[in-house]
């Protein structure tokens, strides 16, 4: 089943897409004319799952252990690390929108401001953000973790050549990396703003860009954002270690079902493929089967072929799909969990609400549908019932706030310790105004196609695929 060609899809207005979002999530429609702070308060109003089971309780314990370890590695003392871990169970919500950018990159900056509004509304003192690090330094043009705009100039964050950026993800352990902040638009030296930023970022060398960015963000958070709130970023290496813990623990639901004979994984993959051939096509793509292959930070897709994980392309890679082999490959970083497996261990199993962007609002409910369809097929109705009872499991919480100010200039102008003034400035805006032109929706052919299918009655909130939204 296919929709009309992209060229025939009419342009969709911001108003039309907000109406569609309100249809998919009726409770969001009530906030369109209310303040952004009100919406953030609702988004971060998260409580432990009303319905639980042993599989979920155990998954939450492993997630807490992962967060505690990541917090200690980030430099938090033991009591603060334990506090952050406790908070994810007491108020299970995680920001999963921005990629692993510096906090002063607009895509990250405005989302973290939005999160701060929600945290402040509930007087929370811990903030966990998953930042995907399986992204390349350059995502498009001069955008991505390897680039910044300061004073209107393009700044090469690590001073890398194109050949050093294009093939690799920021998680690549092929350093050293250092914050060079090379201005490629000025031959006459740095602006004052670039010089100030360079002086405030960590001065040492790092084995990966991901580690460098996380440490820089901890420093920027402490200076400019809210040092009273413990800010922890986890990324795909932390998730890889979490998956290892699951597979080493024979009582873990994942350890019992990932390699089992019940057919759960084949059903998961076949159900995902079936979506690609339905009117929901385009939203949940099976680019790689559960894991990415990794060759020193160069990622490549894998497929599950019988009892082996094999490269889909020309790479020479084959791995036995068995617990011991997968654990060893994860620990050696020869494979990395994909986004679906990340959400399984950090959100779907433990019952954590995840915030994301325009595409997340659709693909995450579909992930939950496919997961629960596989559960029903394998006869695990207890876990399926618990997951079905989740309230607002995935929410639009990234790129909700969009503004034209240059983040670092705005922070420098106000000075450290004045983030509350920024929050008041943006938080008082009505949601419909705060989201700007809604570029991530309006400019996306996938949403335009989805709107056409919805108007034609081909997709609807009453469809079984939307039952776990």
């Amino acid at each position: 089943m296919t929709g009309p060609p992209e060229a025939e899809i009419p342009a969709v207005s911001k108003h039309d897409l907000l109406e569609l979002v309100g249809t998919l999530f009726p409770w969001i429609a009530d906030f369109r004319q209310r303040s952004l702070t009100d919406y953030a308060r609702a988004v971060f109003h998260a409580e432990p799952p009303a319905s639980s089971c042993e599989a979920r309780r155990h998954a939450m314990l492993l997630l807490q252990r992962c967060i505690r370890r990541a917090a200690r590695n980030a430099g938090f003392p033991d009591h603060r690390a334990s506090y952050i871990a406790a908070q994810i169970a007491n108020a299970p919500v995680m920001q999963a929108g921005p990629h692993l950018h510096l906090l002063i990159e607009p895509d990250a900056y405005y989302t973290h401001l939005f999160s701060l509004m929600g945290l402040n509304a509930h007087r929370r003192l811990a903030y966990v953000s998953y930042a995907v690090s399986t992204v390349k330094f350059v995502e498009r043009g001069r955008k991505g973790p390897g680039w910044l705009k300061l004073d209107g100039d393009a700044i090469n964050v690590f001073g890398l050549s194109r050949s050093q950026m294009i093939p690799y993800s920021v998680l690549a352990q092929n350093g050293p990396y250092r914050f060079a902040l090379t201005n490629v638009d000025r031959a006459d030296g740095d602006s004052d703003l670039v010089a100030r930023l360079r002086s405030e970022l960590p001065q040492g060398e790092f084995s990966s860009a991901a580690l460098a960015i996380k440490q820089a963000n901890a420093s920027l958070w402490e200076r400019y954002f809210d040092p009273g709130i413990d800010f922890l970023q986890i990324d795909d290496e932390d998730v890889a270690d979490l998956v290892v813990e699951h597979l080493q623990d024979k009582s873990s639901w994942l350890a019992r079902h990932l390699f089992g004979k019940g057919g759960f994984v084949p059903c998961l993959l076949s159900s995902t493929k079936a979506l690609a051939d339905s009117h929901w096509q385009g939203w949940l793509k099976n680019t790689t089967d559960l894991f990415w292959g990794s060759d020193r930070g160069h990622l490549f897709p894998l497929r599950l072929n019988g009892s082996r994980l094999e490269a889909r392309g020309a790479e020479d890679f084959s791995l036995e799909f068995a617990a011991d082999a997968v654990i060893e490959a994860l620990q050696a970083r020869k494979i990395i969990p994909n986004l679906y497996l990340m959400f399984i261990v950090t959100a779907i199993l433990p019952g954590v609400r995840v915030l994301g962007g325009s595409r997340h609002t659709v693909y995450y409910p579909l992930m939950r549908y496919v997961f629960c369809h596989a559960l029903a097929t394998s006869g695990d109705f207890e876990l399926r019932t618990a997951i079905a009872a989740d309230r607002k499991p995935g929410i639009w919480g990234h790129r909700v706030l969009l503004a034209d100010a240059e983040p670092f200039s705005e922070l420098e102008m106000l000075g450290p310790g004045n983030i509350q003034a920024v929050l008041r400035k943006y938080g008082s805006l009505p949601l419909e105004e705060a989201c700007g032109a809604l570029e991530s929706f309006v400019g996306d052919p996938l949403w335009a196609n989805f709107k056409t299918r919805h108007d034609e009655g081909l997709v609807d909130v009453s469809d079984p695929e939307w039952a776990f939204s």
Side-chain angles (χ1 to χ4, degrees), residues 158 175-179 202-209 211-212 215:
F158 298 103
Y177 290 90
R178 53 179 291 274
F179 289 105
Q203 302 299 305
E205 295 184 338
F206 300 88
S207 59
S208 71
L211 182 59
Q215 290 203 14

Side-chain angles (χ1 to χ4, degrees), residues 150-202:
L150 287 176
D151 279 343
D153 295 335
I155 306 300
N156 187 320
V157 174
F158 298 103
L160 302 175
S161 67
R162 182 177 175 83
S163 64
Q164 291 173 304
M165 288 195 282
I166 294 299
Y168 299 106
S169 297
V170 296
L171 56 72
Q173 294 278 346
N174 60 351
Y177 290 90
R178 53 179 291 274
F179 289 105
L181 301 188
T182 304
N183 192 328
V184 300
D185 289 335
R186 278 179 184 256
D188 56 347
D190 295 334
S191 68
D192 290 341
L193 202 63
V194 171
R196 282 200 297 276
L197 177 59
R198 186 185 291 110
S199 70
E200 292 173 11
L201 295 178

Side-chain angles (χ1 to χ4, degrees), residues 406-428:
E406 187 174 83
F408 191 59
S409 298
E410 182 169 72
L411 293 173
E412 278 284 290
M413 180 179 65
L414 288 170
N418 289 305
I419 197 68
Q420 294 303 321
V422 181
L423 298 182
R424 287 192 296 271
K425 170 184 172 182
Y426 295 120
S428 62

Side-chain angles (χ1 to χ4, degrees), residues 138-411:
V138 181
E139 295 169 14
R140 59 191 183 280
R142 287 179 174 177
K143 292 186 177 181
W147 290 95
L148 272 179
K149 277 281 188 180
L150 287 176
D151 279 343
D153 295 335
I155 306 300
N156 187 320
V157 174
F158 298 103
L160 302 175
S161 67
R162 182 177 175 83
S163 64
Q164 291 173 304
M165 288 195 282
I166 294 299
Y168 299 106
S169 297
V170 296
L171 56 72
Q173 294 278 346
N174 60 351
Y177 290 90
R178 53 179 291 274
F179 289 105
L181 301 188
T182 304
N183 192 328
V184 300
D185 289 335
R186 278 179 184 256
D188 56 347
D190 295 334
S191 68
D192 290 341
L193 202 63
V194 171
R196 282 200 297 276
L197 177 59
R198 186 185 291 110
S199 70
E200 292 173 11
L201 295 178
Q203 302 299 305
E205 295 184 338
F206 300 88
S207 59
S208 71
L211 182 59
I213 293 171
K214 287 195 290 184
Q215 290 203 14
N217 284 346
S219 177
L220 290 168
W221 184 272
E222 185 75 15
R223 179 171 174 80
Y224 290 105
F225 287 78
D226 193 335
I229 295 177
D230 291 333
F231 171 57
L232 176 67
Q233 282 192 296
I234 62 173
D235 72 347
D236 297 278
E237 289 214 338
D238 299 303
V239 174
D241 292 337
L242 174 57
V243 173
V244 166
E245 287 218 43
H246 271 272
L247 300 184
Q248 289 177 330
D249 187 335
K250 301 307 180 186
S251 61
S252 159
W253 183 93
L254 191 69
R256 289 182 284 113
H257 290 82
L258 193 63
F259 311 105
K261 298 180 180 179
F264 177 82
V265 169
C267 182
L268 192 76
L269 299 178
S270 63
S271 297
T272 303
K273 185 178 184 302
L275 275 180
D277 297 326
S278 75
H279 289 302
W280 296 86
Q281 65 177 287
W283 289 103
L284 185 55
K285 299 177 181 178
N286 193 31
T287 308
T288 186
D289 290 354
L290 298 174
F291 300 93
W292 291 100
S294 178
D295 181 10
R296 294 163 293 178
H298 166 67
L299 302 184
F300 52 90
L302 303 175
R303 62 173 178 172
L304 184 58
N305 185 12
S307 61
R308 301 194 72 81
L309 273 173
E310 298 176 342
R312 290 192 177 195
E315 292 83 0
D316 182 17
F317 183 91
S318 180
L319 178 73
E320 182 186 6
F321 191 61
D324 289 345
V326 168
I327 288 170
E328 182 179 355
L330 283 167
Q331 291 174 328
R333 302 299 189 249
K334 293 181 179 179
I335 58 173
I336 302 291
N338 74 349
L339 192 68
Y340 199 168
L341 185 52
M342 183 282 294
F343 279 126
I344 288 174
V345 295
T346 64
I348 296 174
L349 281 177
V352 173
R353 174 183 295 167
V354 284
L355 315 184
S358 56
R359 291 195 171 187
H360 172 95
T361 56
V362 177
Y363 75 63
Y364 184 64
L366 296 180
M367 283 181 173
R368 287 168 50 84
Y369 160 75
V370 167
F371 189 84
C372 288
H373 180 69
L375 287 177
T377 302
S378 62
D380 193 341
F381 294 102
E382 181 185 21
L383 180 55
R384 185 183 185 277
T385 299
I387 293 174
D390 289 343
R391 293 167 292 184
K392 302 183 181 73
I395 292 181
W396 176 37
H398 170 50
R399 295 180 183 150
V400 180
L401 171 61
L402 296 170
D404 295 327
E406 187 174 83
F408 191 59
S409 298
E410 182 169 72
L411 293 173

